[in-house]
Amino acid sequence: MIFWEKDPEELERLQAALEDARHGKITSYTLKFTLEDGTQRHVAISIKPTLDDQGRTIYISSEAKDISGQAEAEEQMHYNAELLNSFQENTPLPSWLMNEKDEIIYMNPLFREFFGLKPEDTGGKMRDLLPARFMRQYQTHNDIVRNTVNSL
């Protein structure tokens, strides 16, 4: 199947990329299409000119690479991130995420409300944001998590 026979817009896109290559420009884009059996494919298209000493295009090369597996993995990763974000935003418990430098990279609304924090406090260190009376218990729990790689 030649995909541009069924999609005039893709044919125009390809023709524009070839015209750009004639003028020395490299073009890369991803083409998404559906096969007759309903399978979706993602193809990375790259069109590159070869120039002579005067900068004129003397040859155009093209490459098409099936990146369907990568595209599906990226779509799954985005879906998982949205799912985690939705869960975190709506969980009935205060929750947060920290990086290896003990900087808070995420606080859900309940956590911010409980400790009187603002979204702009994200990026701060827990010891600078939490009241002192919570720090001992926090540090004990944090040490357990770091040493066992388990959540509490």
Side-chain angles (χ1 to χ4, degrees), residues 32-83:
K32 183 177 177 181
F33 62 95
T34 304
L35 298 175
E36 291 177 6
D37 68 359
T39 306
Q40 287 204 338
R41 306 308 297 168
H42 298 260
V43 178
I45 306 287
S46 179
I47 300 174
K48 302 174 186 171
T50 300
L51 308 176
D52 65 13
D53 293 338
Q54 288 78 40
R56 296 177 298 204
T57 299
I58 57 171
Y59 182 78
I60 296 173
S61 61
S62 63
E63 177 182 27
K65 182 178 179 183
D66 186 345
I67 58 166
S68 299
Q70 175 185 339
E72 289 168 9
E74 288 174 3
E75 287 174 4
Q76 186 65 46
M77 183 179 71
H78 289 295
Y79 171 79
N80 290 344
E82 289 175 14
L83 184 63

Side-chain angles (χ1 to χ4, degrees), residues 95-110:
S95 65
W96 68 98
L97 297 172
M98 293 182 354
N99 63 19
E100 64 282 351
K101 299 176 189 173
D102 286 333
E103 297 166 335
I104 299 171
I105 57 173
Y106 171 81
M107 297 180 277
N108 75 348
L110 199 54

Side-chain angles (χ1 to χ4, degrees), residues 85 88-89 95-99 101-113 115-130:
N85 184 57
Q88 289 281 63
E89 289 291 306
S95 65
W96 68 98
L97 297 172
M98 293 182 354
N99 63 19
K101 299 176 189 173
D102 286 333
E103 297 166 335
I104 299 171
I105 57 173
Y106 171 81
M107 297 180 277
N108 75 348
L110 199 54
F111 184 89
R112 290 192 306 268
E113 180 184 331
F115 289 107
L117 301 172
K118 300 180 184 87
E120 39 292 358
D121 291 322
T122 302
K125 297 200 180 235
M126 194 68 87
R127 68 174 175 265
D128 299 329
L129 297 172
L130 288 186

Side-chain angles (χ1 to χ4, degrees), residues 2-53:
I2 300 174
F3 52 83
W4 53 79
E5 287 179 349
K6 296 187 179 201
D7 191 339
E9 288 178 17
E10 284 303 330
L11 178 58
E12 288 178 23
R13 191 176 184 187
L14 176 63
Q15 289 170 332
L18 289 170
E19 185 62 25
D20 286 345
R22 281 184 3 112
H23 292 80
K25 181 180 175 192
I26 296 172
T27 302
S28 297
Y29 63 94
T30 301
L31 171 67
K32 183 177 177 181
F33 62 95
T34 304
L35 298 175
E36 291 177 6
D37 68 359
T39 306
Q40 287 204 338
R41 306 308 297 168
H42 298 260
V43 178
I45 306 287
S46 179
I47 300 174
K48 302 174 186 171
T50 300
L51 308 176
D52 65 13
D53 293 338

